[in-house]
Amino acid sequence: MTAGRWALRAASLGAALLLWQGLTSLDVNLWLRFEQFPTVGEVASTFGQRAREAAYWQDLGSSVRRIVSGFALAAVLGVAVGTAVARSRIAEDLLGPLLEVLRPVPAIALVPVAILLFPSNEQGIVFITFAAAFFPVVVSTRHAVRALSPVWEEAVLTMGGGRGRVLFSVVLPGALPGVFGGLSVGIGVSWICVISAEMISGEYGVGYRTWQDYTVVDYPGVFVGMVTIGALGWLTSTAVERAGRRLTRWLPSRDSSDPVPSSSAAARARAGRGARRPSREPLAAVTRTAGTAGTAVPRSGPENFPERTREVTP
């Protein structure tokens, strides 16, 4: 990424912070009310105080641990189930209806189920995180596997490969771009649901601490929690995307920083290719000149090659 793009991104973030500071410091109260919002300076001061406390880092570690555990489990099982449903009619008939019934249910609605099923809140929150990421991964994997060209599989089978070879050499590598698309969606949904689950039934975590700050009317603390959640979500999403680019670097791609060729440049390139193409006009001129001078120009008809049309008598 070029320095100009980094500068543009930093400028957009700085403009948002300046707008926030201006609206809150002036107590703007039009249709939206900003008089009770904390300023950027107050949030930064509260963040500095929290960062020096061990409780802040304990909450952050608890949320990250829950995300990593639930998301890793969802990634493994989601890819396995999605591949099985896409490749096997039996798996599709057995698991497909159940998946389609459970998929529209919001993961946060499973909090009462998690409380009844698991002996501790920690296990229940991990289950909520798993459920949030599982279905996006399953759906994206299923579509990615079904979209693969059958020519690749037929080529492996023709060369003597078995089902295992097809799975690990064709199906999984070919479906990786779609799989990582589902993983990127799943990690974002996981953060939404884990924060909500911590607010409802958690004992530690960023969501739990944010809700506690809200109950005691500590609005700067609420915004510290929001900023922390956003930063953690951005870091984990970036990690997933970078892993996807590294594992799919065999795909043809164009660097987004490269300039797009203009229409005039493309026209000049086509003109250059046309100029390098050999012309048939000199050969036609020689043929016309020879015909005018009375010279017989040989043709490539069968009459000029009697040995090709001679009958063979027994």
Side-chain angles (χ1 to χ4, degrees):
M1 187 180 297
T2 62
R5 294 188 63 191
W6 280 112
L8 183 61
R9 295 187 177 192
S12 66
L13 182 59
L17 292 177
L18 288 176
L19 180 62
W20 177 7
Q21 179 67 25
L23 292 174
T24 53
S25 60
L26 297 176
D27 293 335
V28 175
N29 189 7
L30 297 176
W31 181 60
L32 298 176
R33 299 174 299 175
F34 291 94
E35 70 272 8
Q36 294 184 356
F37 264 53
T39 63
V40 176
E42 293 174 351
V43 174
S45 177
T46 304
F47 177 78
Q49 296 174 3
R50 295 284 179 89
R52 293 190 294 267
E53 299 175 358
Y56 175 81
W57 299 105
Q58 182 181 4
D59 293 333
L60 191 147
S62 298
S63 296
V64 171
R65 183 177 64 251
R66 292 160 180 168
I67 281 288
V68 172
S69 302
F71 181 74
L73 187 61
V76 174
L77 293 182
V79 172
V81 173
T83 304
V85 170
R87 300 276 300 173
S88 172
R89 290 185 178 180
I90 298 177
E92 182 178 8
D93 293 337
L94 290 177
L95 301 177
L98 183 61
L99 293 174
E100 292 302 322
V101 170
L102 294 178
R103 185 164 65 93
V105 179
I108 197 62
L110 299 176
V111 170
V113 178
I115 294 175
L116 294 176
L117 285 178
F118 297 97
S120 66
N121 290 337
E122 184 72 20
Q123 297 174 357
I125 295 175
V126 172
F127 169 74
I128 297 299
T129 307
F130 159 78
F134 175 74
F135 291 104
V137 176
V138 169
V139 173
S140 62
T141 303
R142 182 181 62 187
H143 288 296
V145 172
R146 287 178 176 174
L148 293 176
S149 174
V151 176
W152 300 348
E153 180 177 352
E154 293 171 358
V156 175
L157 294 176
T158 301
M159 291 185 292
R163 290 188 175 182
R165 185 71 173 179
V166 170
L167 178 63
F168 292 103
S169 298
V170 174
V171 175
L172 293 181
L176 273 181
V179 170
F180 273 96
L183 292 175
S184 298
V185 175
I187 190 67
V189 180
S190 295
W191 273 111
I192 296 173
C193 292
V194 73
I195 296 301
S196 302
E198 288 174 350
M199 289 181 176
I200 295 174
S201 62
E203 297 178 357
Y204 300 100
V206 179
Y208 169 79
R209 192 64 56 188
T210 302
W211 183 254
Q212 293 300 313
D213 291 332
Y214 172 75
T215 56
V216 298
V217 200
D218 183 6
Y219 293 124
V222 172
F223 276 83
V224 168
M226 294 170 59
V227 172
T228 303
I229 295 166
L232 291 175
W234 175 70
L235 289 175
T236 51
S237 298
T238 302
V240 171
E241 292 177 1
R242 287 185 177 273
R245 286 197 296 267
R246 181 174 294 274
L247 292 177
T248 59
R249 58 181 179 270
W250 47 268
L251 287 173
S253 62
R254 182 180 66 85
D255 188 3
S256 59
S257 61
D258 294 341
V260 179
S262 61
S263 58
S264 59
R268 289 195 299 270
R270 289 193 298 268
R273 289 195 297 268
R276 292 191 297 270
R277 186 177 301 167
S279 176
R280 298 181 181 179
E281 185 62 27
L283 179 60
V286 171
T287 305
R288 288 196 299 270
T289 303
T292 304
T295 306
V297 180
R299 293 179 297 177
S300 60
E303 63 274 7
N304 294 320
F305 303 94
E307 65 277 3
R308 295 184 182 179
T309 59
R310 184 178 304 163
E311 295 182 0
V312 179
T313 57

